[in-house]
Amino acid sequence: CIAIQVRPTDLNIVRAANLVAAGGSCALPPPLDMEFEELAQLIQAFRAGGGQLLCTFDPHRSLPDASQPHFEGRGRERVAAVCRGCYLVYPAPNPGMRDALEVRYAGEANGLSGFPPGPRSRQERFLDTGRAEVFTYLDGAIAVGDEARLLPEALAAVDPQAFWAAVVRIDAWVHALSAKGCVAGAAA
């Protein structure tokens, strides 16, 4: 038995690949469908040969809350900062990250990172992959049956990059959620 771990940076691809690796099926929306169909066939052939596959989410800029103990509660902080208007998004000034945006937002230190509890300014970088990809992400979450992830606190905790990309397009994001009949409270 051969076991392989794959670490894509798109949470929808991770969920879909794990569904196929477990013997299920998944149809992702365009434009992911063509690329994923090929990957799904490879996964199925690998399984048929006795292999096991596990995909884990590996974002490379903004880290999910579960990635480090001192990140616990950052999803709630992100949402609270947006609701209070206590955030600022701008192009990342680091020359090595010209493809990224940076966000600063108001948060609270929980004492787990070695700093005493209290107000903190948080900084994160994320890729703005464009309007079309943001809405493909939404369709992908629906396709893998993971609409609950689109709730603000859930999205901010498990995929901060997708959260900030949605915040940049908040009016269009809320309209798209409503038009698709997605999770109640996602616009809250």
Side-chain angles (χ1 to χ4, degrees):
C1 173
I2 296 174
I4 295 179
Q5 181 178 15
V6 182
R7 298 169 55 160
T9 59
D10 183 309
L11 188 52
N12 290 322
I13 295 294
V14 170
R15 300 283 169 99
N18 283 333
L19 283 171
V20 173
S25 64
C26 183
L28 288 175
L32 295 177
D33 57 344
M34 297 300 281
E35 293 177 26
F36 185 73
E37 184 177 323
E38 207 173 303
L39 177 60
Q41 290 172 357
L42 289 171
I43 294 169
Q44 289 166 345
F46 186 66
R47 283 189 73 236
Q52 295 179 347
L53 177 80
L54 172 65
C55 287
T56 56
F57 183 45
D58 188 21
H60 56 279
R61 302 272 166 124
S62 295
L63 299 174
D65 287 11
S67 67
Q68 297 184 35
H70 65 276
F71 278 23
E72 186 177 333
R74 293 265 176 104
R76 287 186 303 277
E77 285 185 359
R78 292 176 186 109
V79 172
V82 169
C83 289
R84 291 189 322 261
C86 295
Y87 71 100
L88 180 64
V89 178
Y90 52 91
N94 183 327
M97 298 186 177
R98 293 192 180 171
D99 60 344
L101 292 177
E102 195 164 289
V103 63
R104 298 251 179 181
Y105 65 97
E108 285 284 324
N110 57 15
L112 295 176
S113 60
F115 295 102
R120 294 285 183 269
S121 172
R122 303 270 190 228
Q123 171 192 14
E124 294 181 321
R125 291 181 187 96
F126 66 98
L127 295 177
D128 181 20
T129 52
R131 180 182 174 93
E133 192 163 326
V134 169
F135 296 108
T136 298
Y137 182 93
L138 186 148
D139 291 339
I142 294 167
V144 297
D146 203 3
E147 288 181 22
R149 175 181 11 127
L150 301 173
L151 285 166
E153 271 194 27
L155 188 60
V158 300
D159 196 346
Q161 178 164 304
F163 173 77
W164 290 119
V167 167
V168 168
R169 300 166 177 80
I170 193 68
D171 291 337
W173 177 260
V174 170
H175 176 74
L177 286 173
S178 176
K180 293 178 183 300
C182 286
V183 288

